[in-house]
Amino acid sequence: MSAVIDVADLKKSYNKNNTLVLKGLSFQVKKGQCFGLLGPNGAGKSTTLEILQGLKKPTSGKVSLFGMDWKDNEKQIRMKIGGLLQSNNLYGRTKVKEAVRLFASFYKDPMDVDELIERFGLTDKANAWLDSLSGGQKQRVFLAMTIVGKPELIFLDEPTTGLDPTSRQSFWEIIKSLKEEGMTVILTTHYMDEADYLCDELLIIEQGKIIESGTPDAIIHRTFTDPVIREPRKATLNDVFLKLTGHDILKQETSHA
Ligand SMILES: Nc1ncnc2c1ncn2[C@@H]1O[C@H](COP(=O)(O)OP(=O)(O)O)[C@@H](O)[C@H]1O
Ligand SMILES: [Mg+2]
């Protein structure tokens, strides 16, 4: 399988005294994978995603998408990707179908808007204002906007944060189906169960550093040697994070909020 994303020694600092929020990340994402960046608040997930999407510049390191770099190939890369930003509040006074149609108009060969709305269970909301929707419905609209241009690669930054369990589940099923259709999906999350369910491979990052990487199974096997814990799988990725860092990712999450 070929690498859709290739990142080497990626560093980022936001300020002049060079405090690095990304301290040298290296990873590859293969075509058709769901690849996850997992970590607590402030780990550097959004920064990484924004750099990959050409929205922020790295301080140093190599970032290539489809074998191209942002500097010389912005237009070509832009046509192949779609992105859902964290807490997207931009389009409140827009109607569902209008919003998806607007995004469709940016592309040469977009999906059929009505079909897409139907597929995401939004047909009876087609003429509703975005700000009248539930969190789960809103995320599905944003996802429709993200994929309507038939991107090969999509970026989802904490797509299910704040959603109720049923909405999360239905969002997961949509992501799975996109992956089955061959789309490469990069997502960030601080939910271990989400990473475990959706991701073929993941990076666990903390304070801008990779502390583990691989498939969820491989990570659990490396972290725990006791066969009673690892087979049948009694340990979760949350246990991995706790063991590697000494603190609970979810507790840390709430203490930041
Ligand atoms: N625009 C910015 N200016 C200065 N610091 C920032 C900016 N964006 C993020 N940071 C800092 O970079 C670090 C990583 O943030 P972020 O990438 O948003 O992490 P995550 O998405 O994992 O919560 C944090 O310490 C955050 O405060
Ligand atoms: Mg973030």
Side-chain angles (χ1 to χ4, degrees):
M1 274 204 279
S2 54
V4 169
I5 293 182
D6 191 3
V7 173
D9 204 20
L10 172 62
K11 293 184 179 153
K12 174 71 179 173
S13 87
Y14 282 108
N15 56 22
K16 287 191 192 77
N17 45 9
N18 282 331
T19 321
L20 290 174
V21 299
L22 301 180
K23 298 174 178 138
L25 305 184
S26 300
F27 59 93
Q28 291 192 330
V29 180
K30 298 183 199 96
K31 189 170 161 42
Q33 270 190 329
C34 180
F35 188 91
L37 293 172
L38 179 62
N41 243 348
K45 303 182 297 295
S46 295
T47 301
T48 306
L49 235 63
E50 284 162 6
I51 291 171
L52 291 176
Q53 293 177 86
L55 303 170
K56 281 180 181 163
K57 285 202 168 59
T59 301
S60 66
K62 173 187 145 180
V63 172
S64 103
L65 284 78
F66 307 101
M68 299 182 279
D69 62 19
W70 274 106
K71 195 163 77 55
D72 300 318
N73 308 282
E74 171 152 8
K75 217 173 155 195
Q76 292 94 309
I77 297 176
R78 202 61 71 208
M79 293 311 287
K80 286 168 162 282
I81 70 171
L84 177 69
L85 295 178
Q86 189 169 7
S87 56
N88 197 330
N89 291 321
L90 296 174
Y91 308 94
R93 292 311 280 174
T94 314
K95 288 176 178 170
V96 169
K97 193 161 154 180
E98 254 168 36
V100 182
R101 236 196 224 134
L102 173 70
F103 271 64
S105 73
F106 301 151
Y107 296 89
K108 271 201 230 83
D109 176 32
M111 293 182 187
D112 183 286
V113 170
D114 290 311
E115 267 173 37
L116 184 57
I117 285 177
E118 169 85 48
R119 173 178 174 183
F120 284 7
L122 293 162
T123 302
D124 58 344
K125 293 286 174 192
N127 290 310
W129 299 109
L130 288 188
D131 56 13
S132 74
L133 302 180
S134 73
Q137 290 165 339
K138 229 182 252 176
Q139 279 307 75
R140 296 207 300 278
V141 177
F142 291 139
L143 187 60
M145 290 154 76
T146 302
I147 68 163
V148 71
K150 297 182 185 163
E152 292 173 42
L153 166 66
I154 59 171
F155 297 91
L156 308 174
D157 196 355
E158 299 208 17
T160 68
T161 293
L163 299 188
D164 62 82
T166 316
S167 303
R168 288 180 70 210
Q169 195 71 43
S170 78
F171 203 85
W172 289 359
E173 296 315 319
I174 293 176
I175 305 287
K176 280 229 151 157
S177 73
L178 295 176
K179 215 191 79 177
E180 274 153 24
E181 290 160 24
M183 205 176 274
T184 309
V185 179
I186 318 289
L187 68 86
T188 72
T189 184
H190 59 257
Y191 295 123
M192 303 291 168
D193 56 344
E194 181 159 294
D196 201 357
Y197 185 71
L198 287 178
C199 296
D200 302 298
E201 265 190 71
L202 50 106
L203 300 181
I204 303 183
I205 61 176
E206 193 195 32
Q207 294 179 5
K209 278 189 290 215
I210 298 173
I211 58 173
E212 250 298 2
S213 64
T215 66
D217 276 335
I219 289 174
I220 286 169
H221 272 232
R222 259 199 305 278
T223 311
F224 298 100
T225 48
D226 181 352
V228 177
I229 293 178
R230 59 183 219 183
E231 286 163 291
R233 222 35 156 63
K234 289 212 176 103
T236 65
L237 289 170
N238 203 34
D239 300 324
V240 169
F241 192 81
L242 189 60
K243 172 138 185 189
L244 291 177
T245 67
H247 43 253
D248 186 317
I249 193 172
L250 296 169
K251 289 230 177 76
Q252 186 169 0
E253 187 58 35
T254 45
S255 73
H256 270 262

